[in-house]
Amino acid sequence: MCGIVAYVGHQEAYPIILKGLKRLEYRGYDSSGVALLDQELNVFKKQGKVAELENALNGTQLKATIGIGHTRWATHGEPSDRNAHPHLSKSGRLAMIHNGIIENYAALKQDLLAKGYVFHSDTDTEVLLNFIDDILVNNNCSLEEAVRIALKRVVGAYVIVLLDKENPDTLIAARKGSPLVIGIGKDEHFLASDASPIIEYTKEVVYINDYELAIIKGDQLLLKNLGNEVITPFVQQLDLELAAIEKGGYDHFMLKEIHEQPHTIFDCLRGRLDMAKGDIVMGGVQQHIDKLMHANRIIIIACGTSWHAGLVAEYIIEELCRIPVEVEYASEFRYRNPIVNKGDVIVAISQSGETADTLVAIEKAKEQGAMIFGVLNVVGSSIARVSHAGAYTHAGPEIGVASTKAFTAQLVVLTMIALKIAKEKKSISPERFQHLMRELNDVPAKAERILANAELIKEVALRHATATSFLFLGRGYNFPVALEGALKLKEISYIHAEGYPAAEMKHGPIALVDDQLPVLFVATKDAYHEKVVSNMQEINARKGKLIAVITEGDHTMDSLTADLIPVPAADELIAPILNVIPLQLLSYYIGVGRGLDVDRPRNLAKSVTVE
Ligand code: AGP
């Protein structure tokens, strides 16, 4: 899940590529590099963040109107200068960047070693590049043809972009599995893993599909498939503003995105929650309402934070729609040989819409005849293009690696889908339906009130910022919220944190409790409240450092701890959307308190485009 940027046209390529790499740095920041072609083919690369490369190149002659750039998330070969991209071919004619994994690279490498090729890195990318180079040399064909021949023989996922010394005005790019979008300018073209490096130059884009190859000059964009047939590019307009991908005065994208939630939740409800008509209007749901309401089973497939949203949805759909739901880790579902029956509906949840595990899992279920309904944030993403129908979460670009506003938007969309199905199935009363509509409608204002209390949450966070371990506990709808709180803290602070159903503690984890362990309960008022309070007393009895998210005005836990974080009251079914916000802020302030880069946590990347 590296970041790819390239440019060909009439402007200086380096500044455009460098800025683009900074925009894509959330996709990987182990190393970065650029290759520029101006008579000479020059490659510059450096371990670490893009800023390291920029500093290293200060004062270097970087004139060129064509170039490629890459920011890396290491898969094959440790983060280092020599494993950084771009790589140069043995002949020195080609430079290439790659996002993805070539699974059969070891076999290809053996053949090339036998032919006398020498490798300067441990990467699968350098192997693919020299495989192309070898075909080019031995077949005496064009680079385009050599790329086509090579790609028919590789196994894995890729976006590759090549610079060719012998065709100094042309870029060759190809895609399978990893994302690639091409921006069309006046006599110039911009290539990137997503639209964020392109938006400030043009809104006209083409999303490249699997097995497509692009031959790009300043004034030409030629698309072909691996069968050498020409494809007419489908040009789309980007519905994205530059401001959406700027920090907007916040110290970090994560904090900005947490504070955007009252607006993003409102945007998610807008035009769908029709309070006047007392109904929910969602085109994708309406079109397939028959299949959804008569589904034998709903299988939710996702990863990470999106999987936690799926777990909340399981509780909501089973309660409201009385349809059995299973929540599957995509990576396990993919290889487990699961049973998918006709009449099953697959709900794929993904912020990026590019997560490889989720993409390949739903492609497998689709082959078995299931209907795929996508709940996605990135418009035009690969999972959107594979799904039969779906609903976008309209949370806007999420740059911070730790997902925050996309999670609450996912919960809002999943709740509206469940409500719509339940209304059509008459599996809930009209009164309950209207009540939950009003509850949803009140969420943006309540989220605003929680954010207004950020200073208090910061104080609680800093009191626990030196912890070495952390437990998050909840029951019912709040159990997945506890899991999400633990994931956020792990990602942002590197503290080992676990989420658990509160009642599960007695079956083992309570052994972890001592006077050094912070134990956070999501303890808002609901059907489980009394049980949760007694679970807190069990922890208190063992001197655990209690923290609790409580409903405003609830004083039942005043004697147990001073670290109480009040949130506005809400129906237990709606409460997860609100209750997670203090946990997002807690992990943010602990991460910042520990001096960590909360937008680019170590070892992570925003969208995981390799299996
Ligand atoms: C969440 O903060 C992480 N970035 C990660 O767990 C993420 O949720 C997971 O990779 C799934 O991503 P997706 O929603 O884009 O598919």
Side-chain angles (χ1 to χ4, degrees):
M1 42 249 178
C2 308
I4 289 260
V5 179
Y7 173 79
V8 56
H10 45 80
Q11 300 186 61
E12 278 307 311
Y14 175 65
I16 292 172
I17 292 171
L18 187 73
K19 192 184 247 185
L21 289 178
K22 287 182 179 167
R23 291 223 186 279
L24 289 182
E25 204 160 23
Y26 63 84
R27 300 179 62 87
Y29 24 88
D30 291 326
S31 63
S32 68
V34 295
L36 301 169
L37 180 49
D38 181 40
Q39 270 93 49
E40 279 317 304
L41 179 53
N42 296 307
V43 174
F44 310 96
K45 46 191 182 176
K46 195 102 186 67
Q47 181 178 354
K49 297 188 172 131
V50 176
E52 326 266 344
L53 175 73
E54 185 177 19
N55 298 341
L57 292 181
N58 277 341
T60 311
Q61 184 1 291
L62 298 163
K63 208 176 112 14
T65 57
I66 185 168
I68 58 178
H70 184 273
T71 178
R72 183 174 188 236
W73 191 86
T75 54
H76 294 74
E78 64 181 6
S80 65
D81 289 3
R82 70 190 188 87
N83 288 329
H85 299 209
H87 291 280
L88 261 182
S89 66
K90 179 184 174 211
S91 65
R93 171 179 164 177
L94 308 173
M96 186 172 93
I97 50 179
H98 168 223
N99 172 21
I101 287 183
I102 304 302
E103 289 167 23
N104 62 334
Y105 86 104
L108 295 174
K109 189 170 187 176
Q110 286 317 310
D111 298 349
L112 291 166
L113 284 169
K115 290 185 177 181
Y117 275 81
V118 177
F119 290 90
H120 308 286
S121 77
D122 312 318
T123 65
D124 52 339
T125 306
E126 191 187 8
V127 174
L128 173 57
L129 173 58
N130 280 315
F131 183 47
I132 293 168
D133 188 72
D134 184 54
I135 295 166
L136 199 55
V137 172
N138 296 313
N139 290 37
N140 191 17
C141 60
S142 70
L143 175 59
E144 180 196 327
E145 184 55 23
V147 169
R148 240 196 311 279
I149 295 168
L151 295 181
K152 286 181 185 154
R153 288 166 179 70
V154 298
V155 179
Y158 57 78
V159 159
I160 55 173
V161 186
L162 292 107
L163 261 182
D164 176 8
K165 229 171 144 178
E166 293 185 11
N167 294 288
D169 63 351
T170 307
L171 294 170
I172 300 263
R175 177 226 148 126
K176 178 191 169 278
S178 301
L180 177 63
V181 55
I182 300 181
I184 302 168
K186 187 145 182 13
D187 297 328
E188 55 187 355
H189 288 97
F190 308 82
L191 286 71
S193 301
D194 67 36
S196 55
I198 293 173
I199 181 67
E200 68 189 275
Y201 306 105
T202 176
K203 294 226 170 162
E204 289 216 344
V205 297
V206 175
Y207 289 94
I208 306 304
N209 294 309
D210 279 356
Y211 305 110
E212 287 182 358
L213 196 130
I215 300 97
I216 311 125
K217 300 179 188 294
D219 59 1
Q220 173 207 293
L221 169 57
L222 177 60
L223 273 192
K224 291 185 175 180
N225 59 24
L226 290 188
N228 199 14
E229 294 152 335
V230 173
I231 299 163
T232 313
F234 172 44
V235 180
Q236 298 181 53
Q237 284 294 322
L238 277 177
D239 156 21
L240 184 63
E241 295 310 324
L242 194 53
I245 53 176
E246 305 282 359
K247 272 193 200 141
Y250 285 89
D251 292 346
H252 297 98
F253 281 108
M254 184 179 180
L255 188 62
K256 175 198 175 203
E257 288 155 6
I258 291 173
H259 280 271
E260 278 181 333
Q261 292 178 105
H263 306 291
T264 51
I265 292 168
F266 180 80
D267 290 347
C268 197
L269 295 168
R270 186 176 40 212
R272 292 162 160 175
L273 199 69
D274 188 333
M275 295 307 289
K277 275 216 208 101
D279 198 358
I280 286 174
V281 185
M282 298 177 83
V285 176
Q286 203 51 49
Q287 277 157 30
H288 297 270
I289 193 66
D290 202 50
K291 270 215 174 124
L292 290 167
M293 60 194 286
H294 297 113
N296 296 338
R297 188 173 48 146
I298 290 179
I299 305 173
I300 296 177
I301 296 179
C303 303
T305 288
S306 296
W307 187 85
H308 293 149
L311 213 50
V312 176
E314 176 184 27
Y315 284 69
I316 294 176
I317 294 169
E318 293 197 342
E319 155 123 3
L320 298 182
C321 311
R322 308 312 292 152
I323 297 173
V325 176
E326 285 169 22
V327 186
E328 297 278 354
Y329 278 118
S331 53
E332 289 301 311
F333 182 88
R334 162 85 179 78
Y335 289 100
R336 198 186 81 233
N337 193 14
I339 301 162
V340 177
N341 304 319
K342 235 170 168 5
D344 286 346
V345 170
I346 304 285
V347 174
I349 308 174
S350 175
Q351 186 288 126
S352 62
E354 300 293 350
T355 300
D357 287 324
T358 306
L359 184 56
V360 286
I362 60 171
E363 281 168 341
K364 181 162 179 130
K366 195 175 177 181
E367 284 158 19
Q368 298 180 50
M371 183 188 106
I372 311 295
F373 191 96
V375 174
L376 308 163
N377 194 45
V378 176
V379 176
S381 56
S382 305
I383 295 177
R385 298 205 299 270
V386 167
S387 303
H388 295 103
Y392 285 120
T393 50
H394 300 309
E398 189 174 66
I399 310 287
V401 168
S403 185
T404 53
K405 62 177 182 173
F407 178 68
T408 49
Q410 286 165 349
L411 296 184
V412 170
V413 164
L414 292 160
T415 306
M416 287 195 287
I417 294 170
L419 276 171
K420 185 65 181 175
I421 295 171
K423 181 170 186 287
E424 300 299 323
K425 278 191 75 175
K426 298 189 176 32
S427 52
I428 59 169
S429 68
E431 296 70 31
R432 177 93 173 117
F433 179 80
Q434 294 306 329
H435 163 73
L436 291 170
M437 285 262 292
R438 286 191 296 278
E439 283 276 333
L440 268 178
N441 199 43
D442 295 345
V443 168
K446 290 177 180 176
E448 202 74 82
R449 280 167 47 197
I450 295 170
L451 293 167
N453 213 6
E455 272 315 302
L456 175 142
I457 299 167
K458 183 175 180 180
E459 287 158 25
V460 173
L462 295 180
R463 277 199 286 277
H464 300 279
T466 57
T468 54
S469 187
F470 224 107
L471 276 180
F472 289 77
L473 305 177
R475 296 181 74 147
Y477 291 101
N478 284 327
F479 160 50
V481 176
L483 290 176
E484 177 56 13
L487 176 61
K488 286 283 98 57
L489 192 63
K490 279 187 272 234
E491 287 184 276
I492 294 302
S493 73
Y494 316 154
I495 296 172
H496 181 206
E498 286 193 77
Y500 261 95
E504 225 8 62
M505 287 296 288
K506 296 190 280 300
H507 307 290
I510 199 165
L512 295 169
V513 177
D514 61 18
D515 59 5
Q516 295 309 305
L517 180 70
V519 182
L520 184 147
F521 278 81
V522 186
T524 48
K525 282 263 171 79
D526 59 17
Y528 305 84
H529 189 255
E530 268 156 47
K531 297 256 181 283
V532 171
V533 175
S534 55
N535 293 142
M536 287 180 70
Q537 282 151 347
E538 289 152 12
I539 302 298
N540 192 43
R542 288 150 182 90
K543 306 270 174 288
K545 299 165 78 173
L546 284 172
I547 308 166
V549 175
I550 62 169
T551 300
E552 279 168 0
D554 178 359
H555 296 291
T556 52
M557 289 160 267
D558 290 7
S559 61
L560 291 173
T561 175
D563 286 348
L564 297 172
I565 303 171
V567 297
D571 185 286
E572 65 179 16
L573 195 143
I574 302 294
I577 307 168
L578 297 168
N579 294 352
V580 74
I581 298 174
L583 307 188
Q584 297 167 345
L585 282 169
L586 186 97
S587 62
Y588 171 79
Y589 287 123
I590 289 180
V592 170
R594 291 162 79 102
L596 301 170
D597 183 343
V598 294
D599 277 345
R600 291 170 294 188
R602 71 184 182 198
N603 305 341
L604 287 179
K606 181 66 185 170
S607 96
V608 184
T609 54
V610 291
E611 280 189 63

